[in-house]
């Protein structure tokens, strides 16, 4: 004898495919509609062939590029960016909860098809929905590497020394610049040094954005004393706004003295007592008058290090 099952509320018979809810009632008697998942039609994981950064694309919407941290497993990284870029905004918009599950061990640097299971639920809907999405991986050049390869940049930071004894500091300054670039580029992929040109007494950094130039200048000034000069050059017209476009060039001229240096300025001997943010404090060698001078005094007046006479 075949056992027949009926809804405890309306008495209708369950078929083999009907879902039975708590209290042995049918879907119609729950008073709830089937849940709508509102999932995107297509998800693409793009990877830059040069810098190996990643970016998600949902249907026709592209998201920002980022690097996978070395200490973050691939499955955690992909889950995190999927939630941050796609599913958390969907949760807020449609009042849904999404759980993500991957079908296989991930190698996001090699797997061209990544199977994702999405389970959708909601506090006001009894049903849950489970759907499969195939994430396609695509290798392309990210816009930042394309810009770098084309030699394009928005600002220039020039580093110069004024004293021959500071030649060894040029290597130190270059090391600092590259360290700053590594940190800043990992956090904001659009910020990087596009090109470096060397001169006899320093080097020029062609940097990708004005924001990157500001970061370099601020962090270098936190460790070294520089005289600063800013200039700008007209490079075109903004086609959308119609305004002039300028490229900013910032000259960082390393101060040629340090505290306790003995120097001669216009036949007067001084000891460098202190260097502040924008002033050099000098005292005559006999311990007399104390004078504060601007950084640019070493450009305006003749001077020498007494120990190098």
């Amino acid at each position: 004898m075949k056992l027949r099952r009926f809804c405890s509320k309306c008495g209708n018979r369950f078929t083999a495919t009907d879902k039975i809810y708590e209290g042995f009632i049918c879907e119609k008697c729950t008073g709830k509609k089937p849940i709508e998942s509102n999932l995107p039609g297509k998800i693409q994981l793009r990877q830059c062939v040069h810098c190996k950064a990643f970016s998600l694309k949902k249907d026709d919407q592209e998201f920002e590029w980022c690097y996978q941290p070395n200490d973050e497993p691939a499955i955690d990284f992909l889950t995190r960016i999927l939630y941050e870029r796609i599913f958390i905004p969907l949760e807020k918009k449609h009042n849904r909860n999404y759980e993500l599950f991957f079908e296989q061990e991930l190698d996001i640097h090699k797997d061209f098809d990544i199977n994702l299971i999405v389970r959708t639920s909601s506090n006001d809907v009894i049903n849950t929905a489970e759907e499969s999405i195939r994430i396609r991986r695509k290798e392309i050049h990210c816009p930042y590497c394309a810009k770098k390869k084309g030699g394009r940049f928005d600002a220039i930071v020039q580093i110069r020394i004024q004293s021959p004894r500071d030649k060894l500091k040029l290597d130190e300054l270059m090391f600092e610049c590259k360290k700053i670039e590594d940190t800043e580029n990992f956090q904001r992929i659009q910020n990087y040094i596009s090109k470096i040109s060397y001169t006899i007494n320093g080097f020029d950094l062609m940097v990708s954005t004005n924001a990157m130039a500001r970061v370099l200048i601020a962090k270098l000034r936190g460790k070294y004393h520089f005289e600063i000069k800013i200039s700008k050059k007209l490079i075109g017209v903004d086609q959308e706004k119609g305004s002039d476009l300028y490229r900013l060039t910032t000259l960082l001229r390393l101060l040629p003295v340090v505290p306790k240096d003995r120097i001669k300025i216009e036949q007067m001997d001084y000891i460098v007592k202190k260097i502040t943010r924008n002033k050099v404090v000098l005292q005559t060698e006999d311990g007399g008058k104390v004078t504060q001078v601007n950084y640019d005094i070493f450009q305006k007046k003749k001077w020498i290090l007494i120990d190098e006479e």
Side-chain angles (χ1 to χ4, degrees):
M1 180 178 178
K2 187 176 181 180
L3 180 64
R4 301 181 183 277
R5 298 179 297 176
F6 299 87
C7 173
S8 62
K9 189 171 183 179
C10 67
N12 287 331
R13 190 174 67 184
F14 288 111
T15 68
T17 58
D18 284 342
K19 187 170 182 180
I20 301 174
Y21 293 91
E22 185 177 355
F24 220 80
I25 59 176
C26 65
E27 183 177 292
K28 184 177 180 180
C29 289
T30 64
K32 305 292 184 178
K33 296 180 180 180
I35 191 169
E36 295 182 10
S37 59
N38 304 110
L39 297 181
K42 295 179 181 179
I43 298 178
Q44 189 179 84
L45 179 66
R46 300 174 297 164
Q47 184 178 21
C48 178
V49 296
H50 181 69
C51 70
K52 304 304 179 184
F54 289 94
S55 171
L56 288 171
K57 183 178 180 181
K58 179 191 75 172
D59 296 329
D60 293 328
Q61 183 181 5
E62 299 181 6
F63 297 90
E64 66 270 25
W65 289 79
C66 63
Y67 295 109
Q68 177 191 356
N70 292 330
D71 58 350
E72 187 172 22
I75 191 170
D76 294 342
F77 169 69
L78 184 54
T79 301
R80 176 172 60 82
I81 62 174
L82 282 167
Y83 269 116
E84 290 176 353
R85 273 68 164 174
I86 298 176
F87 288 98
I88 289 179
L90 285 176
E91 287 181 344
K92 293 178 179 178
K93 182 178 180 180
H94 300 291
N95 190 27
R96 297 288 184 266
N97 302 312
Y98 296 100
E99 295 179 86
L100 310 184
F101 305 92
F102 293 99
E103 292 184 342
Q104 74 273 346
E105 291 294 325
L106 286 180
D107 188 341
I108 56 177
H109 296 276
K110 293 182 180 179
D111 293 336
F112 280 88
D113 290 332
I114 300 172
N115 293 321
L116 171 67
I117 303 297
V118 182
R119 184 178 297 158
T120 308
S121 61
S122 176
N123 295 331
D124 58 358
V125 180
I126 292 179
N127 283 7
T128 61
E130 193 167 285
E131 298 180 48
S132 177
I133 298 178
R134 178 164 291 181
I135 300 175
R136 301 283 187 179
R137 192 174 73 88
K138 184 177 182 181
E139 292 185 335
I140 63 173
H141 278 94
C142 75
Y144 310 111
C145 287
K147 182 178 178 180
K148 188 173 183 179
K149 187 176 181 181
R152 289 173 287 168
F153 55 93
D154 291 345
I156 301 174
V157 178
Q158 298 176 321
I159 310 292
R160 298 290 186 270
I161 60 171
Q162 302 182 68
S163 172
R165 70 172 179 172
D166 288 332
K167 282 188 176 181
L168 292 177
K169 277 192 176 179
L170 287 175
D171 289 338
E172 181 183 326
L173 285 163
M174 178 60 73
F175 176 80
E176 287 293 331
C177 291
K178 289 183 176 179
K179 186 168 70 171
I180 293 168
E181 180 195 22
D182 288 344
T183 302
E184 183 65 16
N185 180 245
F186 186 82
Q187 296 173 349
R188 285 167 281 274
I189 192 172
Q190 68 271 25
N191 289 347
Y192 55 85
I193 297 171
S194 181
K195 183 181 177 182
I196 301 174
S197 295
Y198 294 90
T199 65
I200 295 175
N201 59 339
F203 51 86
D204 296 345
L205 304 173
M206 289 67 169
V207 296
S208 59
T209 63
N210 287 317
M212 180 62 186
R214 290 193 293 270
V215 170
L216 277 167
I217 293 165
K219 292 192 175 182
L220 288 173
R221 290 190 71 195
K223 295 190 67 173
Y224 304 93
H225 297 290
F226 292 101
E227 177 194 351
I228 299 179
K229 298 290 183 181
I230 299 175
S231 60
K232 61 181 181 179
K233 179 181 179 181
L234 181 65
I235 59 173
V237 177
D238 189 317
Q239 295 182 355
E240 294 182 0
K241 300 179 180 179
S243 56
D244 292 337
L245 291 176
Y246 293 91
R247 175 175 291 144
L248 290 179
T249 298
T250 304
L251 170 64
L252 300 181
R253 191 180 281 128
L254 186 67
L255 206 62
V257 296
V258 295
K260 298 183 180 181
D261 273 349
R262 297 170 63 241
I263 64 175
K264 184 187 292 290
I265 301 177
E266 295 185 339
Q267 306 307 312
M268 182 68 72
D269 294 348
Y270 295 96
I271 296 175
V272 179
K273 297 294 290 182
K274 184 170 66 172
I275 300 174
T276 66
R277 183 75 171 174
N278 52 19
K279 298 284 185 180
V280 180
V281 180
L282 303 175
Q283 185 175 31
T284 55
E285 270 205 319
D286 59 9
K289 185 179 179 181
V290 175
T291 304
Q292 292 190 39
V293 297
N294 294 326
Y295 283 5
D296 63 359
I297 191 174
F298 302 102
Q299 296 294 314
K300 293 181 176 180
K301 296 186 178 183
K302 291 184 177 181
W303 68 279
I304 58 171
L305 286 167
I306 292 177
D307 294 338
E308 294 184 355
E309 284 189 280

